[in-house]
Amino acid sequence: MSLATVMSRAETGLDAPLVRVEVHIANGLPSLSVVGLPETAVKESKDRVRAALINVGFEFPARRITINLAPADLPKEGGRYDLPIALGILAASGQIPSRELDAYEFLGELSLNGALRKIRGALPAALKCREVQHQLILPAENADEAALIEGLAVLGADHLLAVCAHLSGQGRLPLAVPAEPSATVPDGDDMADVRGQHGAKRALEISAAGGHSVLMIGPPGTGKSMLAKRFCGILPPLTETEALETAAVLSVANAEFRPAQWRQRPFRAPHHTASGVALVGGGSSPRPGEISLAHHGVLFLDELPEFDRRVLEVLREPLETGQIHISRAARQATFPARFQLIAAMNPCPCGHLGDPRGRCRCTEDQVRRYRARLSGPLLDRIDLHVEVPPVPQDVLLAQPDTPAPSSREIRSRVVRARAQQQDRQGGPNAHLAVRELAAVCDLTASVRALLEQAIEKLGLSARAYHRILKVARTIADLEGSTAIEQAHIGEAIQYRQLDRAMR
């Protein structure tokens, strides 16, 4: 036959729409044209495919070849279409049978000797492939990643000849088997390593239990970074759905994918010189940024006021919605960004405000300008503002009588609290909608009076009021209490450190 159709997948954000690679071979002067909105890398595929077919011993038809990538209005990019284009040419010219093509989808970039190279975005393509009950053939380097999708037959190949032999019935490609995760939580760093800082550890436990964001304020060297790096160790393990969502973002971003660690929560710590595009994603062809790479994990922003203010302001939408919308002239994409923000900052430009030894020389005006680098709307969206004071020398050097709580102990309490929230409302307290608060956070008259007094004295916004309620609900969950009591509200109010400082 002179016409063949091979199915593949495009990459559009986290979506992978079906692309039909139609190859037609007709009489006429030898030529090869690719239509269907191909970008440069796709246009160049004709040279890679020609060289690969000739080098592995196939005949490249000396006729007029037209390749259509349908639908025509969907932009196509990358080298992922090399393998389906090569197979379409071989099927249309009768060099391989075409009867098996309809049962498969193909992805893969070809080298000039016919070897298959790794592609980006294999996991979203595998998810879509499962929906239509097709089998997926792709480079062997991507096989472990795609095999994470249950109910999908994934066949990994390292060479074009192996794919052709499989389709011709002369050999069978191996079925990829998913790698077993080594651990669902990271090993090594433990909360017990941090001396003192009981208040900060308590705040981080509340944050982990309810999914709340945290801002730690303290001088240099008090353990803010140590605490943040150990935060993932007290979070509950990822569910399979969450793990697949996280892995899909890594796949699209072309980040290194480690199948043995795919059930661990991501930890991202961009430098304060990061641009807005690096943080939220973007580009002419939108790619996920740090907030999406931290999906279902932790985004740690150290030296928060040193970030460009315009960069920090782009965090406001994803902190509320859990996703980021990127719009360009020709492309739009939506990426998930349900992360926990852990931020750290100094109390003043020199970092020693309140030091009893008088090391701080910052004026009140300098401190005010320093803190003004963080906008009120952004601080409003951070649930807990926690002071991290210097650790006394005797605590730092002495051998403790009783060991500090380990990450494993804290995590067990966090997991119990999260289980209560899952049973009650189907998710962590930080994600509660305003309409759900009345049912979940029923307050007695005395508790409500305390909260109203705090709102009036601190001048809290409606958003801060709702976040205090959510934090108080989490504190009650940690104690196994069904009702929110005065102690829970009082502790939640104490975590509005910057609201009190600005009065």
Side-chain angles (χ1 to χ4, degrees):
M1 64 183 297
S2 59
L3 178 66
T5 300
V6 182
M7 287 177 286
S8 186
R9 293 276 169 185
E11 180 195 344
T12 307
L14 287 186
D15 194 16
L18 181 69
V19 172
R20 297 182 183 274
V21 180
E22 301 169 341
V23 180
H24 180 246
I25 300 179
N27 294 326
L29 292 174
S31 65
L32 192 155
S33 59
V34 182
V35 297
L37 277 186
E39 55 95 48
T40 303
V42 182
K43 292 178 181 178
E44 292 172 346
S45 66
K46 59 185 181 181
D47 298 313
R48 292 192 297 272
V49 169
R50 179 187 290 109
L53 291 180
I54 294 173
N55 285 331
V56 300
F58 287 110
E59 177 189 354
F60 190 84
R63 300 165 68 186
R64 182 179 179 83
I65 304 173
T66 303
I67 300 169
N68 179 39
L69 306 177
D73 59 348
L74 177 69
K76 322 296 189 309
E77 62 178 11
R80 59 174 48 214
Y81 303 103
D82 289 2
L83 177 60
I85 287 174
L87 295 175
I89 292 174
L90 292 175
S93 61
Q95 299 182 69
I96 63 170
S98 59
R99 61 182 180 273
E100 296 289 338
L101 293 178
D102 290 342
Y104 297 93
E105 294 182 11
F106 301 88
L107 297 167
E109 178 183 335
L110 283 174
S111 64
L112 299 186
N113 63 359
L116 290 174
R117 290 198 174 107
K118 185 178 180 180
I119 61 162
R120 183 181 62 230
L123 197 58
L127 284 165
K128 289 292 185 179
C129 187
R130 181 181 63 178
E131 292 180 7
V132 294
Q133 296 299 306
H134 286 159
Q135 299 182 61
L136 180 62
I137 295 179
L138 75 176
E141 290 183 78
N142 293 112
D144 285 346
E145 177 183 341
L148 297 175
I149 308 301
E150 292 185 4
L152 173 67
V154 177
L155 307 175
D158 54 12
H159 202 277
L160 173 62
L161 287 176
V163 179
C164 294
H166 178 86
L167 296 174
S168 302
Q170 300 173 4
R172 304 303 295 176
L173 291 172
L175 190 66
V177 179
E180 289 294 327
S182 57
T184 56
V185 292
D187 296 323
D189 294 339
D190 196 290
M191 278 290 183
D193 300 335
V194 183
R195 295 289 183 90
Q197 302 301 2
H198 304 296
K201 290 180 182 179
R202 167 68 174 171
L204 290 180
E205 181 177 341
I206 295 170
S207 169
H212 305 288
S213 52
V214 180
L215 172 60
M216 295 183 286
I217 309 155
T222 55
K224 300 187 295 295
S225 297
M226 284 185 69
L227 289 164
K229 290 174 181 176
R230 286 154 177 78
F231 185 72
C232 282
I234 65 174
L235 289 172
L238 286 170
T239 64
E240 184 171 351
T241 301
E242 291 173 339
L244 286 175
E245 290 177 5
T246 302
V249 175
L250 291 175
S251 179
V252 170
N254 207 24
E256 185 178 356
F257 179 76
R258 299 182 179 92
Q261 298 179 5
W262 76 285
R263 295 294 293 269
Q264 294 184 7
R265 293 186 182 271
F267 179 86
R268 307 293 298 185
H271 192 260
H272 63 258
T273 55
S275 66
V277 171
L279 206 60
V280 304
S284 56
S285 177
R287 292 282 179 267
E290 292 290 341
I291 63 172
S292 295
L293 293 172
H295 184 53
H296 291 313
V298 176
L299 178 70
F300 176 47
L301 301 183
D302 200 5
E303 305 295 345
L304 188 65
E306 301 302 329
F307 282 80
D308 187 279
R309 180 163 178 157
R310 290 172 297 180
V311 172
L312 292 179
E313 292 306 298
V314 299
L315 293 175
R316 287 159 56 174
E317 178 196 346
L319 279 172
E320 289 285 333
T321 64
Q323 58 185 9
I324 183 72
H325 303 280
I326 299 172
S327 296
R328 296 294 181 264
R331 299 281 187 92
Q332 291 80 39
T334 299
F335 295 110
R338 183 65 72 184
F339 59 91
Q340 273 193 256
L341 175 64
I342 306 296
M345 63 177 285
N346 294 327
C348 67
C350 77
H352 298 289
L353 182 67
D355 191 310
R357 290 170 289 183
R359 287 192 290 174
C360 180
R361 294 290 185 270
C362 300
T363 65
E364 185 177 340
D365 213 31
Q366 288 174 321
V367 174
R368 187 181 297 109
R369 284 199 303 271
Y370 178 73
R371 295 190 177 183
R373 296 180 187 177
L374 306 178
S375 70
L378 176 62
L379 290 175
D380 236 11
R381 287 168 167 83
I382 300 178
D383 299 336
L384 295 93
H385 310 157
V386 185
E387 186 176 358
V388 186
V391 181
Q393 187 174 0
D394 56 339
V395 174
L396 188 62
L397 300 178
Q399 190 67 28
D401 298 331
T402 57
S406 67
S407 291
R408 185 182 298 274
E409 296 174 52
I410 299 173
R411 185 170 60 248
S412 64
R413 298 194 291 266
V414 168
V415 169
R416 285 196 298 270
R418 281 284 183 106
Q420 294 177 34
Q421 297 163 34
Q422 189 67 34
D423 293 340
R424 185 175 60 232
Q425 72 250 3
N429 292 329
H431 302 167
L432 282 170
V434 174
R435 64 179 179 274
E436 298 174 305
L437 285 175
V440 174
C441 304
D442 190 21
L443 305 180
T444 64
S446 60
V447 173
R448 188 175 297 278
L450 174 62
L451 186 54
E452 290 173 354
Q453 182 181 358
I455 293 172
E456 182 180 354
K457 185 176 181 180
L458 299 178
L460 299 176
S461 67
R463 180 182 288 111
Y465 160 71
H466 291 143
R467 291 183 182 272
I468 287 175
L469 277 181
K470 295 176 185 179
V471 172
R473 179 66 266 175
T474 300
I475 296 170
D477 291 338
L478 281 169
E479 295 185 1
S481 174
T482 56
I484 298 177
E485 301 174 0
Q486 282 192 346
H488 305 148
I489 286 288
E491 184 176 359
I493 293 170
Q494 290 300 310
Y495 292 128
R496 303 300 299 184
Q497 169 73 20
L498 290 184
D499 290 326
R500 299 200 308 272
M502 289 188 292
R503 298 278 70 83

